[in-house]
Amino acid sequence: MDLGGAIPPKLGRYDLLMSCVFCGRSPVTKEHVFPQWLNQYLPPGRQQTEQARYGAGAYEVTRESLGLDFTVKKVCAPCNNGWMSKLEASSKGVLEPLIIRQDLDLISLQRQRKIALWATKTAMMADQVQQEPLLPSHQLRRMRTHRAIPGGTRVWLGSCPERNPIVTSHTVRIDLTGVSAPGAPQPVGFFCPMKIGHLCIYVYFPAVDVVIQHAREFHLSVARIWPRRSSDLPFPPPAQPQNGEAFEALADALRESLYLYTPEQAAKHGIRES
Ligand SMILES: [Zn+2]
């Protein structure tokens, strides 16, 4: 589904009581989940956008909007206009060529890190749209103070020959079984695939220390950029979802194919990260 538009929660005077998810300050203001500079690449006219929310207060709606007005009201103005706006500005040059074109490219380690950081921040914002966000607040705070990508975060990249829709994204809660100590609470992970123009990004937060493998069939369609690779990344990958719908199907299939091993299991069987 497309997350180009949203139904901002009508919080009114409660805005004053809410505190920023990144720093704890009040009041909060509206922050766009996806950068506004993407608007220039939207087809003319009103956008048909879809949004879904799972869990309590679940809904799935389609509505029209002008531009990408997918916003969330959980961030304070100093964060919004400060570090987040700086991060957006410093990511644009790295992201834009991959979003609007499909040129052959070799993405350096430095660019990979920038893309992974931006993708992680954006996935954090998409999580905040949910009634019960899944990412723990200390990870959001460390994003603000250290631009730290939470330990265990995985980011894969892919590409799609069709540029529209400009933004297709959703978030999925993942209940992880079989990877925690007996009796410990079951960890909850989070998956956020997003297609932005041609660029496909898949962000996964497993919430526990695991070694992850995906099915062999994905080796040609997605490439890991976080945790760090050891080399530049030839881009785009040879296998690609043909359009936005195929992208969503591929994202679902990728998530279902992920196999998580505890570090002990992985060491015992000689299993390495995909
Ligand atoms: Zn803040």
Side-chain angles (χ1 to χ4, degrees):
M1 65 216 69
D2 299 345
L3 288 191
I7 299 183
K10 300 267 190 300
L11 291 168
R13 62 199 170 92
Y14 296 107
D15 296 354
L16 294 169
L17 304 174
M18 301 226 5
S19 53
C20 172
V21 291
F22 290 104
C23 73
R25 275 182 290 225
S26 296
V28 291
T29 58
K30 262 192 199 171
E31 158 78 7
H32 286 93
V33 175
F34 294 100
Q36 287 297 285
W37 56 261
L38 288 173
N39 279 332
Q40 65 183 300
Y41 301 114
L42 286 172
R46 299 186 76 79
Q47 311 300 314
Q48 187 88 332
T49 55
E50 244 177 58
Q51 192 195 354
R53 174 181 273 175
Y54 47 75
Y59 60 73
E60 187 157 347
V61 293
T62 304
R63 68 186 198 92
E64 290 195 329
S65 69
L66 274 175
L68 291 172
D69 67 347
F70 181 32
T71 56
V72 55
K73 232 174 177 178
K74 293 199 177 173
V75 178
C76 71
C79 279
N80 197 347
N81 305 325
W83 70 269
M84 295 183 86
S85 137
K86 271 196 209 115
L87 190 144
E88 210 58 66
S90 72
S91 312
K92 187 182 171 188
V94 174
L95 291 165
E96 198 169 26
L98 305 174
I99 288 173
I100 63 170
R101 288 189 296 272
Q102 269 201 312
D103 295 344
L104 289 180
D105 201 349
L106 199 57
I107 306 178
S108 69
L109 292 173
Q110 195 200 2
R111 284 167 71 203
Q112 291 171 35
R113 149 99 184 143
K114 280 194 170 186
I115 296 166
L117 180 66
W118 180 87
T120 303
K121 185 274 298 173
T122 304
M124 284 176 167
M125 294 297 291
D127 184 33
Q128 289 300 322
V129 175
Q130 301 299 328
Q131 213 125 42
E132 286 169 36
L134 300 169
L135 291 174
S137 57
H138 69 266
Q139 294 189 336
L140 275 69
R141 289 178 184 232
R142 279 189 41 86
M143 170 58 75
R144 179 182 76 93
T145 54
H146 295 80
R147 307 293 173 271
I149 298 173
T153 304
R154 265 65 170 189
V155 182
W156 295 279
L157 284 194
S159 190
C160 173
E162 208 153 290
R163 198 161 90 177
N164 288 321
I166 287 292
V167 174
T168 298
S169 170
H170 66 274
T171 56
V172 186
R173 172 196 164 107
I174 299 162
D175 294 306
L176 300 169
T177 50
V179 289
S180 54
Q186 180 175 289
V188 175
F190 170 69
F191 182 56
C192 179
M194 43 192 146
K195 171 187 163 316
I196 304 165
H198 293 295
L199 180 63
C200 303
I201 310 181
Y202 310 82
V203 183
Y204 188 75
F205 299 93
V208 275
D209 192 13
V210 282
V211 172
I212 300 183
Q213 280 202 326
H214 52 61
R216 192 159 277 282
E217 67 198 82
F218 295 102
H219 288 194
L220 291 177
S221 47
V222 301
R224 192 189 77 219
I225 56 163
W226 198 265
R228 264 173 229 282
R229 302 162 54 86
S230 50
S231 57
D232 294 351
L233 174 68
F235 198 81
Q240 300 175 11
Q242 288 306 299
N243 52 38
E245 231 168 88
F247 159 75
E248 291 211 275
L250 185 133
D252 286 341
L254 172 67
R255 171 175 54 82
E256 282 159 19
S257 92
L258 295 178
Y259 207 93
L260 276 53
Y261 301 89
T262 63
E264 298 74 39
Q265 288 166 340
K268 194 170 146 199
H269 301 289
I271 292 158
R272 294 176 56 187
E273 181 94 13
S274 291

